[in-house]
């Protein structure tokens, strides 16, 4: 290049003409300063903005291909191509996309070979390279499938690429399972999500994965599980409908969905999941107790009783269902029925602490109601009798649940006081003073 042309290029660079349009007058002034015709100036502009970037692009493509051929600096080769794609002018360049794919493909092949030869290699990186191959070719497919000037779509690479990736798709599932075992739930979700999303990619449409792949519901379940472990509601719920078709794990999935709705403060959906879970899996320990607790806490006692009766229809002798019913009876003020049911449960299993609590409080609450009426000799006698009946239940509850002082301390304090049990009263009084 002559000194004159170099001077023009230097001047263009200093003037910043690559960023700001130059008006006709400015062009004429510039050409006059450097002694060029406007025609020559236009040619140099064309050269500057067309051939120089292409030269740089070719250099980076050549360098990346050398790295790939030599099987070294593969991550650098990948980065060179990603840098090119960061420029909008290169985003539809097939050569750049295909070289990027070859870089990540070679990373996969090198890692796979090392593992096969039992050489040291990070298994996680092999799975990550697998996923990168999918990411690259799925994005490239959107370019390969663009219509030409006549509106025709001819996908030159789709079949070749889909066939190649189909053989490696099981490693997306295997990678997800690998990361679940490592408790890396972020990566686990990404892999199961990628496995499922293949079904929605035009690149794989002819395989009909949603219809033919029997692992899809399981992948959706593990995706939801990973989202749940991350406490990421969007991830947990993304594939829930597909995951629910995995009947082997449906009870657990309903639990994860319910807890996710609770995390989102979506009470209506949370209750719906509890109802569904209680109906479909009455013996599953998560749904029924939380449904009853919700009803009791919100004063919906008739709904709670209905839920208890429905559960008992599936198993009339279930201890927990009957205990839950005793709690509802207690809160409804049906004290005699509550005590009768509690006595039945204690006869079958005398280690259920809360059953003793329900029976004791059923007697204790009656003393509170009586104290609101006339303080006659007859009423005092009835209260004393109820205190005596409550006492053994609450003492046994304390022995079985010593940590639940908030529940047994005040009733026992009141009972000891009214029954003139001085030594026991002093002991409870000290406990309450220490706490306060």
């Amino acid at each position: 290049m002559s000194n004159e042309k170099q001077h023009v290029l230097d001047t263009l660079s200093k003037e910043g003409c690559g960023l700001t349009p130059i008006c006709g007058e400015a062009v004429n002034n510039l050409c006059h300063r450097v002694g060029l015709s406007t025609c020559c100036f236009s040619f140099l502009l064309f050269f500057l903005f067309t051939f120089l970037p292409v030269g740089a692009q070719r250099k980076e493509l050549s360098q990346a291909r050398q790295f790939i051929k030599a099987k070294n600096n593969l991550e650098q080769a990948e980065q060179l191509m990603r840098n090119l794609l960061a420029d909008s002018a290169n985003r539809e360049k097939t050569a750049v996309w295909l070289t990027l794919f070859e870089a990540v493909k070679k990373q996969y092949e090198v890692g796979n070979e090392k593992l096969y030869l039992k050489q040291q290699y990070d298994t996680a990186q092999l799975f990550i390279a697998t996923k990168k191959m999918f990411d690259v070719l799925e994005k490239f497919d959107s370019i390969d499938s663009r219509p030409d000037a006549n509106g025709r779509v001819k996908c030159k690479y789709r079949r070749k690429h889909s066939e190649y990736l189909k053989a490696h798709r099981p490693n997306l599932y295997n990678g997800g399972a690998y990361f679940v075992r490592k408790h890396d739930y972020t990566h686990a979700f990404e892999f199961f999500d990628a496995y499922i999303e293949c079904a929605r990619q035009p690149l794989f449409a002819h395989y009909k994965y949603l219809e033919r792949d029997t692992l899809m519901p399981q992948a959706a379940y593990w995706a939801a599980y990973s989202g749940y472990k991350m406490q990421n509601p969007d991830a947990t719920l993304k594939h829930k409908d597909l995951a629910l078709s995995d009947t082997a794990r449906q009870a657990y999935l309903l639990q994860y969905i319910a807890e996710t709705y609770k995390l989102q403060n979506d009470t209506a959906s949370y209750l719906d999941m509890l109802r569904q879970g209680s109906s479909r899996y009455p013996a599953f320990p998560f749904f029924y107790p939380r449904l009853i607790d919700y009803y009791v806490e919100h004063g919906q006692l008739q709904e709670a009783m209905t839920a208890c009766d429905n559960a008992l229809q599936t198993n009339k002798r279930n201890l927990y269902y009957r205990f839950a019913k005793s709690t509802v009876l207690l809160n409804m003020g049906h004290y005699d029925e509550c005590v009768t049911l509690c006595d039945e449960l204690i006869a079958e299993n005398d280690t259920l602490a809360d059953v003793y609590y329900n029976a004791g409080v059923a007697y204790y609450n009656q003393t509170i109601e009586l104290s609101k009426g006339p303080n006659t000799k007859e009423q005092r006698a009835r209260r004393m009798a109820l205190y005596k009946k409550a006492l053994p239940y609450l003492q046994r509850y304390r022995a079985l649940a010593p940590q639940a002082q908030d529940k047994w301390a005040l009733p026992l304090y009141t009972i000891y006081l009214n029954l003139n049990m001085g030594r026991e009263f002093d002991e409870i009084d000290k406990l309450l003073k220490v706490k306060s």
Side-chain angles (χ1 to χ4, degrees):
M1 184 182 297
S2 69
N3 291 335
E4 182 182 72
K5 291 181 181 178
Q6 184 62 51
H7 178 53
V8 173
L9 296 178
D10 292 342
T11 304
L12 288 174
S13 177
K14 291 176 183 177
E15 295 286 339
C17 62
L19 297 175
T20 306
I22 303 177
C23 65
E25 184 178 354
V27 169
N28 290 332
N29 290 337
L30 182 60
C31 289
H32 178 72
R33 285 160 55 189
V34 299
L36 283 179
S37 68
T38 55
C39 179
C40 184
F41 177 83
S42 298
F43 172 79
L44 287 171
L45 278 180
F46 177 78
F47 175 83
L48 178 65
F49 295 115
T50 302
F51 292 101
L52 288 183
V54 168
Q57 180 191 114
R58 285 175 178 169
K59 179 181 178 181
E60 291 173 332
L61 278 167
S62 176
Q63 180 65 74
R65 287 166 178 163
Q66 288 178 32
F67 287 149
I68 294 167
K69 185 176 181 180
K71 298 183 182 180
N72 58 31
N73 297 317
L74 296 173
E75 290 79 8
Q76 187 176 344
E78 175 189 352
Q79 193 57 52
L80 284 171
M81 295 302 95
R82 292 194 185 279
N83 291 343
L84 286 179
L85 291 172
D87 184 345
S88 59
N90 297 321
R91 287 177 192 160
E92 296 186 17
K93 299 289 179 63
T94 295
V96 178
W97 281 103
L98 294 183
T99 305
L100 173 60
F101 171 66
E102 289 300 324
V104 296
K105 177 184 175 184
K106 191 62 69 175
Q107 290 175 36
Y108 171 83
E109 291 174 348
V110 169
N112 194 46
E113 182 179 358
K114 286 183 177 180
L115 287 178
Y116 179 77
L117 296 175
K118 301 187 184 311
Q119 297 175 2
Q120 187 174 0
Y121 187 74
D122 185 358
T123 304
Q125 291 304 311
L126 183 69
F127 287 124
I128 289 171
T130 303
K131 185 174 179 298
K132 284 196 292 188
M133 291 194 297
F134 279 79
D135 292 341
V136 170
L137 290 188
E138 286 172 358
K139 290 175 183 176
F140 173 69
D141 186 68
S142 66
I143 294 167
D144 187 38
S145 61
R146 287 186 177 180
D148 61 19
N150 297 317
R152 294 171 299 186
V153 175
K154 294 182 178 180
C155 299
K156 181 177 180 181
Y157 296 94
R158 177 172 288 179
R159 181 163 293 279
K160 175 184 176 182
H161 288 168
S162 67
E163 288 177 354
Y164 177 83
L165 291 179
K166 178 177 181 287
H168 294 277
R169 184 167 172 263
N171 273 342
L172 292 178
Y173 188 99
N174 295 335
Y178 171 85
F179 286 114
V180 165
R181 289 193 296 271
K182 296 294 183 180
H183 307 292
D184 183 350
Y185 299 110
T186 300
H187 273 112
F189 174 79
E190 290 174 355
F191 274 76
F192 287 120
D193 182 58
Y195 183 88
I196 296 164
E197 287 298 320
C198 287
R200 300 180 177 91
Q201 288 288 338
L203 179 61
F204 304 104
H206 54 290
Y207 292 120
K208 301 182 187 295
Y209 283 133
L210 274 176
E211 301 170 20
R212 298 173 180 173
D213 184 354
T214 58
L215 285 179
M216 290 287 276
Q218 295 178 40
Y221 168 81
W222 288 113
Y225 173 80
S226 300
Y228 167 75
K229 298 296 284 186
M230 291 190 290
Q231 290 195 316
N232 182 331
D234 291 339
T236 306
L237 301 176
K238 181 175 182 181
H239 302 294
K240 69 178 178 65
D241 293 333
L242 177 59
L244 284 169
S245 59
D246 180 14
T247 55
R249 301 174 181 85
Q250 193 177 82
Y252 289 99
L253 180 64
L254 288 172
Q255 174 183 336
Y256 306 150
I257 295 172
E259 293 195 63
T260 299
Y261 285 139
K262 187 177 183 180
L263 187 65
Q264 293 180 310
N265 295 315
D266 185 349
T267 303
S269 298
Y270 171 67
L271 276 177
D272 183 53
M273 288 298 104
L274 292 183
R275 293 188 186 105
Q276 285 191 45
S278 297
S279 174
R280 297 181 192 180
Y281 305 99
F284 195 77
F286 176 82
F287 305 105
Y288 180 74
R290 285 165 179 79
L291 183 61
I292 299 301
D293 287 346
Y294 178 88
Y295 285 142
V296 171
E297 288 171 9
H298 291 81
Q300 299 176 21
L301 299 178
Q302 190 53 58
E303 289 85 347
M305 183 57 70
T306 299
C308 288
D309 290 338
N310 289 340
L312 285 167
Q313 286 179 6
T314 67
N315 187 346
K316 292 182 179 181
R317 304 308 301 168
N318 184 283
L319 287 174
Y320 190 82
Y321 296 165
R322 287 187 287 158
F323 162 69
K325 184 171 183 176
S326 77
T327 302
V328 176
L329 290 169
L330 175 64
N331 282 274
M332 295 178 78
H334 298 173
Y335 299 125
D336 291 341
E337 293 179 64
C338 174
V339 171
T340 298
L341 185 51
C342 288
D343 285 341
E344 291 177 5
L345 292 169
I346 290 169
E348 296 177 30
N349 186 336
D350 61 1
T351 64
L352 301 174
D354 287 321
V355 176
Y356 287 95
Y357 176 80
N358 282 358
V361 172
Y363 284 124
Y364 179 76
N365 284 356
Q366 292 179 68
T367 69
I368 295 174
E369 292 183 4
L370 286 173
S371 66
K372 296 175 183 177
N375 189 25
T376 63
K377 181 178 180 180
E378 180 183 348
Q379 294 290 62
R380 287 196 299 272
R382 289 182 62 190
R383 288 203 304 273
M384 292 305 109
L386 290 168
Y387 283 136
K388 290 177 181 178
K389 289 181 178 180
L391 180 59
Y393 290 104
L394 290 171
Q395 286 179 321
R396 179 61 176 161
Y397 175 66
R398 178 184 178 181
L400 291 171
Q403 75 284 354
Q405 184 177 329
D406 288 346
K407 296 175 72 173
W408 50 254
L410 186 57
L412 283 175
Y413 174 92
T414 305
I415 292 170
Y416 293 150
L417 175 64
N418 281 276
L419 295 181
N420 294 318
M421 300 174 67
R423 183 164 56 87
E424 291 84 353
F425 173 81
D426 290 341
E427 187 258 342
I428 287 285
D429 185 49
K430 288 179 182 178
L431 283 177
L432 291 173
K433 286 179 179 178
V434 169
K435 183 179 179 182
S436 63

